[in-house]
Amino acid sequence: NYVVNENESILTSTDSYMLVQAYLPSDFAPSGFNGKTKDINGLDVDGKFPNVGAVIPTCEPKHSYKYSIRELINICNFMLKHENGLCSENKLTNRIDFNGAYINVKFLKNVLNVLSMFSLYVTVEVTDSESPVIFKIKGSKTFGIVMPALKYDVDNVYDSPYAKVEYTIDEAIELMD
């Protein structure tokens, strides 16, 4: 979705698991895009989509962390390749555990790749385990959101006894060493 204001173009992109809203110079998008929502093929979509305000938590975050975007992307790259011990039928993408909000590393990497065009650092805000995790750029209105996943219950019959899907940042860094 594009919105062109006097001083900025607002580009919002989502797939319902993740969302990025970028604030860019006003001449970034052609004026013909103003207020338009496009699908992946560039065709107009009827209606106002996405409803960004509906997914942003309105209460104060319980946890807030500042990270290097490059460090988080490196962790994501490692975790995308890391074997988690799940049987082939249950193959899940590993997740980063932000205080009980389990974020798929593939979605996290996609959001971080966009945000890396705006900053070297990101502030991660966690409200609770069920609300979207917000990734903010200091001094900018540009942000990303990733919807958390439910905790995976290891299947004691099919999965490896060492199966693990959710990792804290510290656990992921330890695995990388």
Side-chain angles (χ1 to χ4, degrees):
N1 178 274
Y2 296 96
V3 177
V4 180
N5 288 338
E6 250 179 62
N7 300 323
E8 61 194 0
S9 292
I10 305 167
L11 171 62
T12 306
S13 180
T14 184
D15 70 354
S16 73
Y17 295 107
M18 57 189 161
L19 175 144
V20 173
Q21 189 165 74
Y23 289 76
L24 305 158
S26 60
D27 60 353
F28 175 78
S31 60
F33 279 23
N34 190 14
K36 302 280 185 168
T37 298
K38 305 281 187 181
D39 68 10
I40 196 165
N41 298 313
L43 302 174
D44 287 350
V45 175
D46 289 334
K48 173 130 173 53
F49 181 81
N51 184 359
V52 177
V55 296
I56 298 174
T58 55
C59 57
E60 286 295 313
K62 292 181 182 162
H63 307 281
S64 182
Y65 310 94
K66 184 177 177 183
Y67 290 107
S68 155
I69 292 176
R70 177 60 34 214
E71 179 183 26
L72 287 178
I73 289 173
N74 288 341
I75 289 169
C76 289
N77 287 335
F78 176 81
M79 295 307 293
L80 282 166
K81 296 175 188 169
H82 179 69
E83 288 294 324
N84 54 26
L86 301 182
C87 72
S88 60
E89 294 170 10
N90 289 334
K91 278 293 183 200
L92 293 175
T93 302
N94 288 322
R95 302 166 182 166
I96 296 295
D97 176 359
F98 291 104
N99 283 93
Y102 305 111
I103 301 300
N104 178 310
V105 293
K106 180 180 173 190
F107 300 154
L108 176 57
K109 181 181 174 187
N110 287 340
V111 167
L112 293 171
N113 278 332
V114 174
L115 296 179
S116 71
M117 293 187 286
F118 298 89
S119 179
L120 297 174
Y121 297 93
V122 66
T123 299
V124 180
E125 294 183 352
V126 182
T127 302
D128 57 49
S129 64
E130 297 176 5
S131 297
V133 175
I134 301 177
F135 299 85
K136 291 185 173 180
I137 301 296
K138 185 177 181 177
S140 171
K141 294 187 280 185
T142 295
F143 67 92
I145 292 176
V146 181
M147 297 300 294
L150 296 174
K151 183 166 180 56
Y152 177 73
D153 291 323
V154 174
D155 185 328
N156 293 326
V157 175
Y158 295 105
D159 294 333
S160 157
Y162 305 105
K164 184 173 172 79
V165 177
E166 292 95 9
Y167 297 85
T168 65
I169 295 289
D170 289 340
E171 289 173 328
I173 290 170
E174 189 175 310
L175 284 172
M176 293 169 65
D177 290 339

